[in-house]
Amino acid sequence: MSKIYYPKHLFIEESVREAELAQTVLKNLTHLTPQYFEGQPEDFFSNISMKDGKEVLVLAEKRGRFLKPCPGSKDSLCCGYFILESQSNCNYDCTYCILQTYLNSPPLIVYTNLNDMFAELNGMFETSDKIQFRIGTGELSDSLSLDHITEFSKKLVPFFAQTQRACVELKTKSTQIENLKGLDHRRRTIVSWSLNTPRMARKEELKAASIEERLEAARLCQEWGYPLSFHLEPLLYYPEWEEDYHALIQNLFKVIHPESIAWISIGGLRLIDGLKDFAEERFPKSSFLYEELIPGTDGKLRYLKVIRLEMYRKISGWIRECGGKVPMYLCMESSDLWRKGLGYDFEHADKADEYLGENVFR
Amino acid sequence: MNIESWPISKLSNLSTPFNSTFGDPPKLLEDSIQKIGVIHPPLLLTEKTGQPILISGKRRIEIAKKINPHQTLWVKSYTREELTNLQAFHLNLYENLSIRKFNAIEKSNVLALLTNLGISQESLQKEYLSLLELPLKEETPQQYFYLQKLDEETKQLVSLGILQVDSALILLKLDFKDRSCLTSLIQNLRLGVNPQKILIRLAWDIFKKGNIPPHELFESQTMKNILEEESWSTGQKWASIEYELRKLRYPRLSQMEEEFKNIKKEMKLPPTITLQSPPYFESPDYALQLRFRNLEDYQEKLAILQQMGNNKNMEKLFKLTTEYE
């Protein structure tokens, strides 16, 4: 049974002391005495370690934009996804996590100026000529693992329920779904789980919920009528990968109906510059770092292309066998690999975006 | 502070708590003392108990003693009231830094001594890293502390610059037997900075991946044959060792490279036409380079390229980047 996360320290930026979200957090963390600070959290907490940072929750004002297009990767076919930066960093300790070296600041930061965020979203929806927006909060953080503290979903789900051409994806490795029950979501919130094989989840996704727990939480959200999505990322290559991933996909479709699924992403392990050394130092028992990882055209380390191709073909084949026409995509891979690995590709990101939105918007 | 004359036999027995030197003294120092004696007097600190300790000058005293064990030396003598330990250490540090560069082990010793003297990590970062010409990174002090754990033999290699610090840090994760095996190879094959990094990285990854410790790796017949081949230069031996290590570390990639080499061989291209595989077989694009000297030559080469299109080996080539079975 995975443990529910509670931070050991709470820091609040002076200027957001009265914010509604800050009050909610204080209500849910009555055992902590908050400490108030002035200035930007990135400067204030830059000297603490990654490990210690996970014990610290910071409430702060977001400066700059909340919404950004997913940066994708050089030479890859993008899917037109948008990232909503409502939080930064994650309480879990996945050995392969890019955030270990990507973020400047180790603590978990929750941004409290939600009115600014919603105003920015509305402005974008009103002025953009894009047909649809697929937006997610799970790129720089886990979308739901702090939801029992922030109750953020209670604000976000109703907001997106009102929109005509936007949906939000809440991507998690947690089971923190209680707040989603009973919300009027109008199928504009996609609840999403990152999945890996139970063997790899136990070994590499430290502190996260087990795969069984994640699937049970997904089943409940299915019952509550939410569209679901799954991310088979990062695929890890190890001797038993074939039987393990095959079993994972079979188990997924035993619990989840294909019609409930908005999309499934597949993506091989990617390591940005410096992450291999960093992860090796922090997690000396991890063995995934020693497979055939080679630098790609974007400088990230990936499995050799033939290995990725083999994994993509087999895994997408098993998904087709069990899940029929459920939309699939490859994350941060070239058109060439989409074509050879999935059997199709798209001319550009908008087309991929439309295809992936089919189960949500139509 | 007093100037005092001390018998060298007494000086050489004093404890040296602030000493960070490592390695043999520079020849120039020996020659200089041989010729005109000790110019800069050693520094002494007398504790409240009356016990003297040596602040700096250990090497000068050792050299002078070798030359004449019965001589006396002038020293500058401080009392405990005049100097704290940190001030005494600073005297040692700045005296040395003003005349020579420290090796990596000495830098490690300095950081360790400063920590023992109560200097915070923050101060190490802010005040001492640049002084020691070390990278201004958060992890630098920790990395250099780790060097303290090296055995004397490996420290010697690091101090001489034969072994790089980051390579030594990986070696520290191995046991003594494996470490010795790799450091011997580095010395015997006279490997430079990059080859030694490659050797240690590959050996470490193979160990982690397949649980084959380096000493076992280099006991294999293949490796023994390479190392014992008398007709090969050290460069040739290293090239063969690297090739064998890469085969173990990247078996699929090595296999593909081998296949590509064989296909190319079968194509029998003239030396003026070069075919290159995509880096790591990641992109689907192969590259072809053509050299020609006149129109006739150009047309001849084009004809060869035309024929290449019908060659069955071309199919094999394209399968290489798409097949996995």
Side-chain angles (χ1 to χ4, degrees):
Chain A
M1 196 61 180
S2 65
K3 273 190 190 166
I4 296 176
Y5 169 79
Y6 283 101
K8 287 188 179 158
H9 308 280
L10 174 63
F11 286 84
I12 304 178
E13 188 182 338
E14 193 59 56
S15 64
V16 305
R17 170 193 277 267
E18 300 303 327
E20 189 184 344
L21 198 144
Q23 296 305 311
T24 306
V25 170
L26 285 170
K27 177 195 81 182
N28 291 324
L29 294 177
T30 47
H31 64 290
L32 291 182
T33 308
Q35 297 176 61
Y36 295 90
F37 69 98
E38 286 181 2
Q40 301 211 18
E42 287 79 5
D43 303 331
F44 202 76
F45 299 99
S46 60
N47 283 335
I48 60 173
S49 71
M50 182 57 67
K51 186 167 167 262
D52 293 340
K54 290 187 186 288
E55 309 286 0
V56 178
L57 178 62
V58 177
L59 306 182
E61 182 189 337
K62 171 92 178 162
R63 279 99 173 162
R65 298 184 71 82
F66 280 90
L67 193 64
K68 289 169 186 169
C70 175
S73 211
K74 187 176 170 250
D75 297 333
S76 68
L77 172 59
C78 284
C79 69
Y81 195 72
F82 278 81
I83 296 167
L84 188 64
E85 290 183 9
S86 55
Q87 289 175 201
S88 169
N89 215 343
C90 175
N91 51 298
Y92 298 134
D93 228 350
C94 298
T95 57
Y96 52 72
C97 182
I98 189 174
L99 300 181
Q100 295 177 89
T101 50
Y102 184 73
L103 294 176
N104 297 327
S105 182
L108 279 76
I109 304 174
V110 172
Y111 299 112
T112 57
N113 44 331
L114 300 188
N115 289 339
D116 294 342
M117 182 183 84
F118 291 132
E120 186 185 325
L121 285 167
N122 279 327
M124 176 68 100
F125 300 155
E126 280 162 20
T127 56
S128 170
D129 52 8
K130 247 181 92 65
I131 296 169
Q132 64 187 40
F133 290 90
R134 290 165 45 253
I135 298 168
T137 59
E139 293 303 302
L140 298 184
S141 62
D142 184 292
S143 299
L144 290 172
S145 69
L146 302 180
D147 205 52
H148 58 296
I149 299 170
T150 63
E151 301 180 21
F152 182 50
S153 63
K154 290 183 182 173
K155 299 280 178 199
L156 202 62
V157 175
F159 172 83
F160 275 91
Q162 303 300 317
T163 64
Q164 295 303 310
R165 53 196 185 110
C167 65
V168 67
E169 184 184 35
L170 303 177
K171 188 158 61 175
T172 188
K173 289 189 180 102
S174 79
T175 54
Q176 296 301 110
I177 54 167
E178 291 79 5
N179 290 335
L180 299 176
K181 192 178 180 182
L183 292 180
D184 180 15
H185 56 78
R186 298 189 193 177
R187 293 183 55 82
R188 284 291 184 266
T189 296
I190 294 123
V191 196
S192 173
W193 275 269
S194 294
L195 294 180
N196 221 312
T197 66
R199 191 194 307 258
M200 285 297 115
R202 273 193 302 274
K203 204 173 161 211
E204 311 293 351
E205 296 178 347
L206 311 177
K207 300 181 192 165
S210 71
I211 296 303
E212 294 74 14
E213 289 171 325
R214 290 181 223 177
L215 288 179
E216 175 55 16
R219 191 191 63 76
L220 282 171
C221 286
Q222 176 178 247
E223 269 186 27
W224 301 337
Y226 284 96
L228 307 174
S229 64
F230 296 95
H231 296 269
L232 298 173
E233 289 188 60
L235 294 182
L236 296 170
Y237 186 80
Y238 58 97
E240 302 86 0
W241 74 268
E242 279 195 64
E243 48 266 46
D244 283 4
Y245 280 105
H246 196 181
L248 172 73
I249 288 159
Q250 286 173 326
N251 288 338
L252 166 68
F253 285 101
K254 273 182 199 160
V255 184
I256 305 298
H257 310 301
E259 316 82 72
S260 306
I261 299 177
W263 57 75
I264 294 180
S265 81
I266 308 172
L269 175 70
R270 301 176 289 276
L271 301 176
I272 57 170
D273 187 35
L275 182 56
K276 184 170 182 272
D277 292 342
F278 196 82
E280 194 173 35
E281 210 54 54
R282 284 194 76 209
F283 308 105
K285 286 182 185 163
S286 275
S287 53
F288 71 91
L289 298 164
Y290 306 103
E291 289 301 332
E292 282 188 79
L293 293 159
I294 52 104
T297 51
D298 57 1
K300 289 176 189 163
L301 291 178
R302 286 178 166 82
Y303 295 127
L304 198 63
K305 188 174 168 184
V306 283
I307 295 176
R308 273 147 50 217
L309 191 54
E310 176 183 9
M311 296 184 94
Y312 295 156
R313 279 184 183 164
K314 289 195 170 162
I315 288 172
S316 63
W318 297 326
I319 293 172
R320 282 281 169 263
E321 267 171 37
C322 304
K325 288 183 174 174
V326 55
M328 281 187 284
Y329 69 98
L330 293 184
C331 194
M332 306 224 181
E333 289 289 12
S334 64
S335 300
D336 180 50
L337 266 167
W338 277 62
R339 213 166 35 250
K340 289 169 184 161
L342 298 181
Y344 53 86
D345 69 338
F346 296 94
E347 280 167 43
H348 48 77
D350 283 350
K351 292 282 177 198
D353 190 21
E354 270 178 49
Y355 162 71
L356 293 171
E358 270 174 13
N359 283 0
V360 182
F361 296 105
R362 276 164 282 280
Chain B
M1 188 264 295
N2 293 322
I3 306 288
E4 296 168 0
S5 172
W6 278 61
I8 205 159
S9 55
K10 264 191 174 180
L11 286 173
S12 62
N13 286 332
L14 296 181
S15 71
T16 55
F18 308 118
N19 181 39
S20 60
T21 54
F22 185 89
D24 294 331
K27 180 84 173 49
L28 200 62
L29 183 66
E30 281 195 50
D31 292 348
S32 151
I33 293 173
Q34 178 84 43
K35 197 154 190 175
I36 49 172
V38 174
I39 304 169
H40 296 291
L43 306 182
L44 245 65
L45 171 67
T46 305
E47 296 285 9
K48 283 179 182 165
T49 57
Q51 178 69 34
I53 55 176
L54 193 62
I55 296 174
S56 70
K58 185 171 182 271
R59 279 173 162 174
R60 277 165 277 169
I61 293 166
E62 278 169 1
I63 295 167
K65 192 182 170 190
K66 254 198 269 173
I67 295 165
N68 177 3
H70 306 295
Q71 63 178 308
T72 55
L73 288 183
W74 289 105
V75 301
K76 283 184 182 174
S77 179
Y78 295 88
T79 61
R80 178 46 85 191
E81 285 75 25
E82 289 176 291
L83 290 178
T84 64
N85 277 341
L86 183 60
Q87 286 169 326
F89 177 66
H90 277 160
L91 284 177
N92 175 306
L93 180 65
Y94 285 94
E95 189 186 43
N96 277 293
L97 275 177
S98 62
I99 53 165
R100 67 186 181 89
K101 283 193 183 298
F102 281 17
N103 64 50
I105 298 299
E106 289 174 324
K107 290 175 184 180
S108 161
N109 291 345
V110 169
L111 293 175
L113 279 163
L114 284 166
T115 306
N116 287 341
L117 289 169
I119 298 297
S120 69
Q121 291 294 304
E122 205 183 336
S123 297
L124 286 186
Q125 298 264 1
K126 280 186 186 163
E127 295 168 38
Y128 294 96
L129 292 188
S130 54
L131 188 68
L132 295 168
E133 295 178 341
L134 288 174
L136 300 177
K137 289 182 184 167
E138 194 186 335
E139 61 272 23
T140 304
Q142 200 55 44
Q143 286 177 340
Y144 274 76
F145 292 150
Y146 282 141
L147 295 181
Q148 296 283 304
K149 294 181 186 169
L150 286 171
D151 54 89
E152 288 302 298
E153 192 188 328
T154 316
K155 272 186 182 173
Q156 195 70 37
L157 294 177
V158 176
S159 72
L160 294 170
I162 294 171
L163 187 65
Q164 298 303 297
V165 170
D166 43 4
S167 297
L169 291 172
I170 299 180
L171 284 180
L172 262 175
K173 298 177 190 170
L174 295 165
D175 68 21
F176 182 72
K177 206 170 173 184
D178 292 321
R179 211 153 61 212
S180 295
C181 162
L182 293 173
T183 49
S184 306
L185 265 174
I186 288 169
Q187 289 178 91
N188 294 340
L189 298 177
R190 282 177 253 137
L191 297 183
V193 176
N194 280 332
Q196 66 176 251
K197 268 189 191 171
I198 293 169
L199 168 72
I200 291 171
R201 190 73 239 184
L202 286 172
W204 169 253
D205 282 3
I206 292 164
F207 173 45
K208 293 291 282 184
K209 185 183 179 186
N211 208 17
I212 310 169
H215 76 272
E216 272 181 32
L217 196 63
F218 287 96
E219 271 167 16
S220 73
Q221 202 49 52
T222 314
M223 292 298 190
K224 275 185 180 169
N225 289 345
I226 295 170
L227 291 168
E228 286 164 11
E229 179 56 62
E230 286 177 7
S231 65
W232 284 359
S233 67
T234 51
Q236 286 170 310
K237 286 181 183 178
W238 163 241
S240 301
I241 286 172
E242 187 187 5
Y243 176 75
E244 293 300 328
L245 291 176
R246 284 190 86 244
K247 271 206 305 196
L248 291 169
R249 175 64 184 89
Y250 301 103
R252 300 273 291 258
L253 178 63
S254 304
Q255 193 191 336
M256 289 171 81
E257 286 169 345
E258 197 63 37
E259 277 176 42
F260 176 71
K261 222 162 85 181
N262 291 337
I263 293 170
K264 224 163 68 162
K265 210 169 165 185
E266 281 177 30
M267 286 177 142
K268 293 181 181 143
L269 295 171
T272 46
I273 298 179
T274 32
L275 179 64
Q276 281 178 329
S277 60
Y280 304 103
F281 297 94
E282 178 66 22
S283 142
D285 303 335
Y286 286 88
L288 197 62
Q289 199 185 39
L290 181 70
R291 279 189 291 133
F292 56 93
R293 52 184 56 178
N294 52 38
L295 189 60
E296 197 186 358
D297 190 27
Y298 171 70
Q299 282 166 343
E300 262 178 41
K301 300 282 163 52
L302 281 187
I304 294 172
L305 290 181
Q306 189 65 41
Q307 278 180 347
M308 249 175 84
N310 303 324
N311 194 321
K312 278 192 173 172
N313 285 309
M314 287 296 270
E315 271 176 44
K316 286 189 200 167
L317 201 65
F318 298 126
K319 273 188 179 173
L320 208 54
T321 49
T322 52
E323 293 293 309
Y324 54 84
E325 305 259 304

